[in-house]
Amino acid sequence: ADSVGNIGVSCFILISGYFGIRWNGKKMIKLDLMLIFYCWIGLAFRLAWGTAGGGENILSYLFPVIGKYSWYFTCYFALAALSPFLNEAIERLGQRRLKQLILVMLLIFSGVTTFFFFDITGDSGKGIVQMVMLYLIGRYIRISGMVGRYRAGKLAAAFAAAAAVNIALNGTLYVVTGTVQNRFARDNTLFIIAEAVLAFLIF
């Protein structure tokens, strides 16, 4: 299931990159307050049920943006804070150099992880490095005019092929090791990134 279902976050960041993030302090405060509200409600239930855990767990709920339970929001806030600098850097780089930067990042942070299982960032793609890379890819898709360039049928076939290979490789690892493996379905593998880009271009 992860071989296909794990592309959700990647697709959202691609969308953010395509349209571009513009830092808005008021909106970020509202988002933070919303997150705090739901986390505190969740903490209240956990305290009532006696499953809140120790002090570190409680602090993670009290301060969700810097807590371990909301890695996505933590990274998104960081990405939003970096967005003015990223946007300026993208404009200065131009399309050709941006493409080169993305390819280098894919090689270092995804190629090595995909084929050698060595996760350089140590977060399985659930971190700010992955988000920045996907944001840059989203911007490149916008700048290069890729949307609408390819037929939906071909994109869907490519998506199905990438997903099939992903599933087959994870299945092979299961046969070899005897345990369920999702190494090729992690956020920072080339397969998940390719599937996310293809899904984005289809829709």
Side-chain angles (χ1 to χ4, degrees):
D2 286 346
S3 297
V4 176
N6 209 26
I7 68 173
V9 169
S10 297
C11 286
F12 182 78
I13 300 303
L14 287 173
I15 294 170
S16 298
Y18 183 82
F19 290 104
I21 296 176
R22 297 292 181 269
W23 173 261
N24 187 315
K26 291 182 179 180
K27 288 184 178 180
M28 299 309 294
I29 290 174
K30 288 181 180 179
L31 180 61
D32 188 22
L33 292 175
M34 179 189 70
L35 180 62
I36 289 173
F37 173 78
Y38 286 113
C39 282
W40 286 11
I41 293 296
L43 176 61
F45 279 109
R46 284 183 173 272
L47 289 172
W49 294 331
T51 60
E56 183 181 348
N57 289 334
I58 293 176
L59 284 174
S60 292
Y61 280 99
L62 290 175
F63 306 101
V65 170
I66 58 174
K68 64 181 180 180
Y69 290 116
S70 59
W71 69 267
Y72 172 78
F73 282 99
T74 301
C75 291
Y76 190 80
F77 271 74
L79 181 63
L82 291 172
S83 63
F85 308 100
L86 291 174
N87 294 335
E88 183 178 346
I90 290 167
E91 290 180 6
R92 290 178 178 272
L93 280 172
Q95 182 177 329
R96 184 178 65 86
R97 294 291 285 172
L98 175 60
K99 180 180 179 180
Q100 292 174 346
L101 173 61
I102 291 171
L103 290 175
V104 171
M105 292 184 73
L106 284 171
L107 175 63
I108 296 172
F109 299 113
S110 296
V112 173
T113 300
T114 303
F115 299 110
F116 298 101
F117 299 159
F118 177 65
D119 189 347
I120 292 176
T121 59
D123 56 17
S124 297
K126 299 185 183 299
I128 187 61
V129 172
Q130 180 76 3
M131 282 199 172
V132 168
M133 183 167 64
L134 289 169
Y135 184 83
L136 295 177
I137 293 173
R139 294 303 299 157
Y140 179 78
I141 291 173
R142 178 66 176 267
I143 293 170
S144 64
M146 291 177 64
V147 172
R149 185 183 300 175
Y150 308 101
R151 293 183 179 179
K154 290 185 176 181
L155 292 171
F159 177 89
V165 172
N166 195 342
I167 293 170
L169 289 173
N170 284 312
T172 301
L173 285 178
Y174 172 74
V175 172
V176 172
T177 64
T179 58
V180 176
Q181 297 283 335
N182 285 313
R183 286 185 176 271
F184 294 100
R186 290 178 292 178
D187 291 42
N188 56 348
T189 63
L190 293 175
F191 293 105
I192 291 299
I193 294 172
E195 289 173 42
V197 170
L198 289 166
F200 175 78
L201 292 175
I202 290 170
F203 294 101

